[in-house]
Amino acid sequence: MFRQMRRKGQALPESLCAAVLEAATSGVLAVEGDDGYPYALPLNFVFDGDKIYFHCGKEGHKIDAVRRNPKASFCVIAQDRIVPEKYTSLYRSVIVFGKVRILGETEEKRAAIEKLTAKYAPKIEEEARRAAIDSGMAGLCMLALDIQHMSGKQAHGLAQKQA
């Protein structure tokens, strides 16, 4: 169903893919937008093993796209250092494919926003984060990308250093 990576020697092991997703602070979600055009947008997220969670508005292009077609991809670039004298770049990236769900008023929604706030506001006490969540929960929309396929790739130079 999903294509195999052509340059297998540059593939990241699943554990390193997970580490990239855990450390990254933003990525690009791609969905089918209006009139079949791709719609790709940068988002903050939290990775939770087999899911990626996003916070979003209850209305808009992204929600309309997800309702129309839940299939999506999400890409994170962990490293991209240009090496001009070699006409190359040293990169490391991860891409996931899956289906996006809009979370209803469930425990999963609460757990997802708690993980997201802990990731982006780790120095704020848990009690204060929960109070903020409680006050905004009614207007909150959360999405879950259930991962069906994940792959990572790195520049040949990085692959050689890692071996």
Side-chain angles (χ1 to χ4, degrees), residues 2-98:
F2 295 100
R3 290 184 184 207
Q4 294 298 311
M5 187 176 297
R6 189 172 52 87
R7 294 188 171 184
K8 291 177 177 48
Q10 292 176 261
L12 296 179
E14 190 171 321
S15 61
L16 193 48
C17 289
V20 166
L21 291 171
E22 287 168 1
T25 58
S26 64
V28 177
L29 179 69
V31 293
E32 180 186 347
D34 294 344
D35 297 323
Y37 282 95
Y39 180 54
L41 59 152
L43 295 171
N44 294 48
F45 71 98
V46 65
F47 172 65
D48 187 26
D50 59 352
K51 292 178 209 44
I52 296 174
Y53 292 110
F54 311 98
H55 170 271
C56 67
K58 288 189 170 188
E59 297 178 6
H61 196 165
K62 178 177 26 177
I63 291 293
D64 292 345
V66 167
R67 284 187 176 124
R68 190 172 39 249
N69 183 352
K71 291 180 180 177
S73 66
F74 185 69
C75 179
V76 171
I77 299 171
Q79 178 177 330
D80 184 23
R81 186 168 47 98
I82 305 299
V83 185
E85 63 276 7
K86 293 191 177 187
Y87 301 100
T88 193
S89 66
L90 297 177
Y91 64 88
R92 183 173 288 135
S93 62
V94 172
I95 187 166
V96 300
F97 295 88

Side-chain angles (χ1 to χ4, degrees), residues 99-142:
K99 292 185 180 178
V100 179
R101 296 178 289 119
I102 301 168
L103 300 181
E105 301 305 315
T106 63
E107 286 300 314
E108 184 181 16
K109 178 181 171 181
R110 175 169 278 285
I113 191 61
E114 286 176 0
K115 290 172 186 171
L116 194 70
T117 59
K119 177 179 179 176
Y120 291 96
K123 293 183 181 179
I124 296 177
E125 292 182 25
E126 185 177 345
E127 188 175 312
R129 289 195 313 261
R130 286 189 183 195
I133 290 168
D134 289 342
S135 70
M137 197 66 159
L140 177 69
C141 184
M142 292 293 296

